[in-house]
Amino acid sequence: QVQLVESGGGLVQPGGSLRLSCAVTGISSSIYSMAWYRQAPGKQREFVAVITFGDNTNYADSVKGRFAISRDNAKNTVYLQMNSLKPEDTADYYCNAFRPLRDYWGQGTQVTVSS
């Protein structure tokens, strides 16, 4: 079965960096668009970043210039490099694989930005 497993979350100080990983099994991620979403306490889930199967990228305004999404098709893995982290980035981060008529989600990894 299809499985998306996020890792790399944790506690980091403001201004620090983390790299999240999403390991994909059961499908070839190279033919899917891959996205990261996040959900902060008391907030709805929001879009963070996307990389298409053609490797075009787009970002939420709140993370532009700080976050970078990338993929390693040979490893069937997608990454989210997060720099200059702010307390407002604290959330559960979710990996999403999608194409027409298909949509898969991971279980999430927690990121806490606090001093």
Side-chain angles (χ1 to χ4, degrees):
Q1 267 291 311
V2 175
Q3 191 171 12
L4 280 60
V5 180
E6 301 95 335
S7 62
L11 175 65
V12 65
Q13 293 185 353
S17 298
L18 286 173
R19 189 178 76 157
L20 306 183
S21 298
C22 175
V24 181
T25 57
I27 57 171
S28 178
S29 62
S30 64
I31 63 172
Y32 284 76
S33 295
M34 303 293 301
W36 289 93
Y37 288 75
R38 67 187 182 186
Q39 188 166 19
K43 308 288 285 186
Q44 67 181 6
R45 186 173 296 186
E46 65 174 345
F47 166 79
V48 175
V50 62
I51 183 166
T52 70
F53 58 84
D55 288 342
N56 296 311
T57 60
N58 195 22
Y59 300 90
D61 288 341
S62 59
V63 306
K64 284 182 179 177
R66 301 189 298 120
F67 290 11
I69 188 171
S70 62
R71 66 197 306 161
D72 186 335
N73 291 334
K75 296 182 178 179
N76 223 25
T77 301
V78 180
Y79 305 96
L80 184 68
Q81 178 67 46
M82 305 186 295
N83 300 323
S84 301
L85 283 162
K86 305 174 180 180
E88 308 93 273
D89 297 318
T90 295
D92 293 324
Y93 283 73
Y94 298 90
C95 184
N96 170 241
F98 66 98
R99 67 174 188 170
L101 305 180
R102 298 287 188 182
D103 193 3
Y104 303 100
W105 290 89
Q107 293 296 309
T109 186
Q110 187 176 20
V111 172
T112 302
V113 184
S114 176
S115 59

